[in-house]
Amino acid sequence: MRLPFVTFALSVLVGSFVLSAAPVSAAPGGADFYGEPVVGLEAYAPGSIVRREPVPQLDVLGSHTERILYRSADPRDQAVAVSGLLVTPTRAWSGPGPRPVIAYAPGSYGVADRCSGSSQLGLTTTMPALLPLLAQGYQVVTTDYQGLGTPGEYEFLGRIASARAVLDSARAAARETDAPVVLYGYSAGGVASAAAAELASTYAPDVSVVGAFVGAAPTDPVLRVDGQDGSESAATMLYTIGGLIGAHPDRAEQIRALFNDRGRAALDAAQNFCTIDALTYGPLRSEDLTADGSSLGTLMAGPVLGPLAEENTIGFTAPVAPVMIVHGVHDASVEIEQSRLLTDRWRAAGVTDMTVREFDFGTDLVPAFDHPATNVAAYPELIEWIARLVTQA
């Protein structure tokens, strides 16, 4: 165990949620890193790193940080370049076997390209969350997801797209070592981690996935929309619709026809939102945005959106590796019913090695912290759980 490092990293992580310090300047050298086409991308194997640049400003806890571009495949099996970060501790790994890899799926900072996790904006949250993992000596690789920061459509919470982005990031880190890989995701990242756990054995059987952490994940799109409707962050429910349009451009007009003029304007505006933009847009009631006055949750179960929502619902395929699910009882951003339903679905699918933790902080937390608080509180047990998995690998 390396718990002294955990204690230090946790204190830094907690501070990152309490303080509003400006992020370390780590903007890429130019937009070309993300946008310049990669010649012959199809010829590269999935997970191949096709572009990289050092980010010395982020060399924390004795690590070497690179911004990377790697090859993945979209749900239609077309090659796409995905960006992310690769953070490698410089001290030698003292545990058994090769240095383990944490394939980290960031939560959502928004759906505009400027919100990607490896960009300056996203790094404010990404890097502090990696500290407890780096403190253990693990290599950490993050993904920005397909089409977020890079050319192409970003399929927000898309099951296949996000799973492939995570699994190919793991390939990028572990390709030459056959290292044990732990999938890690919280909130929207939890959706990607859960999806990757379900698809690992079929899409990436060469990746040695030994476990998946799934924190406060909105794995049911219908429940997510219902939970956001009318809230201060209601504009984010439109991310889901934008993601479905991105995944199915041939159905774009059919989907947009479900909205009235105000709804279509809000949908268009939301596609350029980062978190602050969504919060300042103000509360929305979906009944005021739809053409027939139905709630968006109702439409998500209807003939147009229903089949698409079902395709992106997680829980009906059993992961082959152990999973840990955590959630806060009073989480106002992602309701705990999401994790309870995922647990039930995975058990019904045959999952037996599943650790489930619910955290009850009471109702006195500042609303802005009731969602990320569980991510912090789960770290001590999570770090021990990961250590057992990689030791047994």
Side-chain angles (χ1 to χ4, degrees), residues 41 66 77 140 149 180 205 210 229 273 316 329 358 366 374 382 388:
L41 183 62
E66 299 174 283
D77 294 324
V140 180
V210 299
D229 204 345
F273 281 178
F316 300 108
V329 172
E358 295 185 357
V366 177
T374 300
L382 170 61
R388 287 195 299 272

Side-chain angles (χ1 to χ4, degrees), residues 23-50:
V24 174
S25 178
D32 285 350
F33 180 87
Y34 293 100
E36 181 69 24
V38 178
V39 177
L41 183 62
E42 286 279 359
Y44 287 91
S48 297
I49 297 176
V50 297

Side-chain angles (χ1 to χ4, degrees), residues 156-157 218 220-228 236-237 240 338:
F156 178 71
L157 301 185
D220 187 301
V222 179
L223 285 183
R224 182 187 185 276
V225 165
D226 279 338
Q228 295 298 308
T236 65
M237 67 184 174
T240 302
Q338 288 273 11

Side-chain angles (χ1 to χ4, degrees), residues 154-235:
Y154 172 39
E155 301 177 20
F156 178 71
L157 301 185
R159 178 174 178 265
I160 295 177
S162 62
R164 290 183 172 185
V166 172
L167 292 168
D168 284 324
S169 75
R171 280 175 163 143
R175 175 177 300 280
E176 297 179 0
T177 64
D178 193 31
V181 172
V182 176
L183 310 173
Y184 182 109
Y186 193 84
S187 193
V191 174
S193 177
E198 290 191 344
L199 299 182
S201 63
T202 53
Y203 179 71
D206 53 305
V207 177
S208 301
V209 175
V210 299
F213 170 70
V214 180
T219 51
D220 187 301
V222 179
L223 285 183
R224 182 187 185 276
V225 165
D226 279 338
Q228 295 298 308
D229 204 345
S231 72
E232 291 298 320
S233 58

Side-chain angles (χ1 to χ4, degrees), residues 264-310:
R264 286 189 288 271
L267 181 62
D268 291 340
Q271 299 318 298
N272 195 41
F273 281 178
C274 293
T275 301
I276 295 300
D277 304 305
L279 294 176
T280 56
Y281 195 75
L284 296 171
R285 293 177 63 255
S286 64
E287 291 92 340
D288 299 330
L289 306 179
T290 59
D292 64 358
S294 299
S295 72
L296 191 50
T298 298
L299 294 180
M300 290 285 286
V304 176
L305 296 178
L308 308 185
E310 185 176 350

